[in-house]
């Protein structure tokens, strides 16, 4: 509970921790019809193979998880509307609270798909909070992604632009001290690779500490060996 808002989490701890462990936050993607659980599975995998880590699967605002718990806030229509400043602030406040509670020496934020949009907005809006951000399958230009999704799904709520700053527009604000790792798959037809590539180029243009990897596969690569390798290197 932070203020009047409760953001649900599942916490996993490695067997050996120092007084200032690395705090890892995992954010799931959009999930309009299925209760998200991948954030918890990723957090669990992280502590099974790494020491000095506290890994947290965080349930985004308005969602219910597979335990039946619900985070405060509104889930929205899952068309980019739920990456807005209100929801980003709720998640950011929860991360700040966890950082304080666990006396974290380092904070790593990982997001997949919609969670990656939120991750990259956080480092643009709150540039001194995250030490290493990992964005997997990111819709880093939100309104361009919405146009793609309108063509793909013919779902009317994707029509038109949202009044929201995209990660690509916030690239200059990212702290030079924050490391950014980007991962996308060649055949991703939900968050197409060009969205990640454009964000990478924008970060590079502003001299940010960013790396990008493009792998085989489609959209659901959050639990792949490639993703877990990047995560382990960030700890």
């Amino acid at each position: 509970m932070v203020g009047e808002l409760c953001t649900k989490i599942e916490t996993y701890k490695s067997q050996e921790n120092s007084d200032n462990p690395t705090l890892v936050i995992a954010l799931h993607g959009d999930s309009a019809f299925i209760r998200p659980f991948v954030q918890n599975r990723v957090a669990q995998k992280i502590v099974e193979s790494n020491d000095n880590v506290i890994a947290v699967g965080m349930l985004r605002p308005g969602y219910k998880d597979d335990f039946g718990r619900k985070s405060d806030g509104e889930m929205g229509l899952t068309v980019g509307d739920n990456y807005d400043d209100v929801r980003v602030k709720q998640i950011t406040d929860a991360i700040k609270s966890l950082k304080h509670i666990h006396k974290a020496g380092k904070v790593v934020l990982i997001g997949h798909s919609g969670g990656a949009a939120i991750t990259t907005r956080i480092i643009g809006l709150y540039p001194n909070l995250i030490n290493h951000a990992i964005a997997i399958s990111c819709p880093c230009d939100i309104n361009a992604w919405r146009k793609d999704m309108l063509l793909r799904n013919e779902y009317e709520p994707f029509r038109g632009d949202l009044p929201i700053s995209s990660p690509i527009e916030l690239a200059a604000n990212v702290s030079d001290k924050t490391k950014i790792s980007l991962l996308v798959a060649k055949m991703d037809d939900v968050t197409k690779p060009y969205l990640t590539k454009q964000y990478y180029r924008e970060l590079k243009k502003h001299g940010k500490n960013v790396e990008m990897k493009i792998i085989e596969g489609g959209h659901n690569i959050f639990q792949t060996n490639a993703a877990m390798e990047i995560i382990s290197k960030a700890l």
Side-chain angles (χ1 to χ4, degrees):
M1 179 76 74
V2 180
E4 297 181 353
L5 294 174
C6 182
T7 305
K8 297 294 185 181
I9 61 172
E10 187 72 11
T11 302
Y12 301 87
K13 298 182 179 181
S14 54
Q15 291 186 349
E16 294 184 13
N17 284 319
S18 69
D19 292 336
N20 302 108
T22 296
L23 173 65
V24 183
I25 309 290
L27 296 176
H28 59 86
D30 297 342
S31 185
F33 306 109
I34 300 172
R35 293 181 179 183
F37 62 88
V38 67
Q39 72 281 0
N40 298 334
R41 302 293 81 80
V42 168
Q44 187 174 19
K45 277 187 175 184
I46 290 168
V47 301
E48 286 173 353
S49 54
N50 296 279
D51 289 329
N52 198 36
V53 173
I54 295 175
V56 173
M58 184 172 289
L59 190 63
R60 288 166 47 191
Y63 278 92
K64 283 186 178 179
D65 65 11
D66 54 350
F67 297 112
R69 304 174 307 171
K70 181 178 181 293
S71 284
D72 288 345
E74 298 296 327
M75 187 174 77
L77 297 174
T78 67
V79 294
D81 57 320
N82 53 347
Y83 315 152
D84 68 353
D85 290 356
V86 172
R87 293 172 179 87
V88 164
K89 185 178 186 303
Q90 180 177 335
I91 291 168
T92 300
D93 287 346
I95 294 171
K96 288 178 179 177
S97 178
L98 289 168
K99 180 180 180 181
H100 175 73
I101 289 168
H102 295 297
K103 299 176 182 172
K106 181 179 181 180
V107 180
V108 178
L109 178 59
I110 313 161
H112 174 250
S113 195
I118 291 171
T119 293
T120 47
R121 290 200 78 231
I122 286 173
I123 61 173
L125 293 170
Y126 301 90
N128 297 312
L129 178 60
I130 306 301
N131 300 102
H132 197 138
I134 302 172
I136 302 169
S137 310
C138 183
C140 290
D141 184 334
I142 294 168
N143 285 319
W145 167 74
R146 280 170 54 81
K147 291 180 176 68
D148 291 344
M149 293 301 287
L150 180 63
L151 289 172
R152 181 182 187 270
N153 296 344
E154 297 182 353
Y155 183 48
E156 279 301 306
F158 280 114
R159 187 177 299 281
D161 289 348
L162 293 176
I164 182 173
S165 57
S166 282
I168 196 168
E169 298 171 284
L170 298 169
N173 297 347
V174 176
S175 171
D176 293 343
K177 297 178 181 178
T178 298
K179 178 72 180 288
I180 308 108
S181 298
L182 307 176
L183 179 67
V184 68
K186 293 178 182 177
M187 301 305 292
D188 190 338
D189 66 343
V190 177
T191 53
K192 295 181 178 181
Y194 83 90
L195 296 165
T196 293
K197 292 176 183 178
Q198 287 180 350
Y199 183 52
Y200 172 80
R201 287 195 292 268
E202 194 67 18
L203 288 166
K204 275 290 189 183
K205 185 176 80 174
H206 293 289
K208 306 306 176 183
N209 187 2
V210 59
E211 63 180 4
M212 177 178 64
K213 187 172 184 179
I214 302 172
I215 63 171
E216 299 295 332
H219 183 64
N220 294 315
I221 58 171
F222 200 4
Q223 297 186 78
T224 60
N225 289 336
M228 298 309 296
E229 182 179 344
I230 288 172
I231 292 166
S232 290
K233 287 180 178 177
L235 302 179

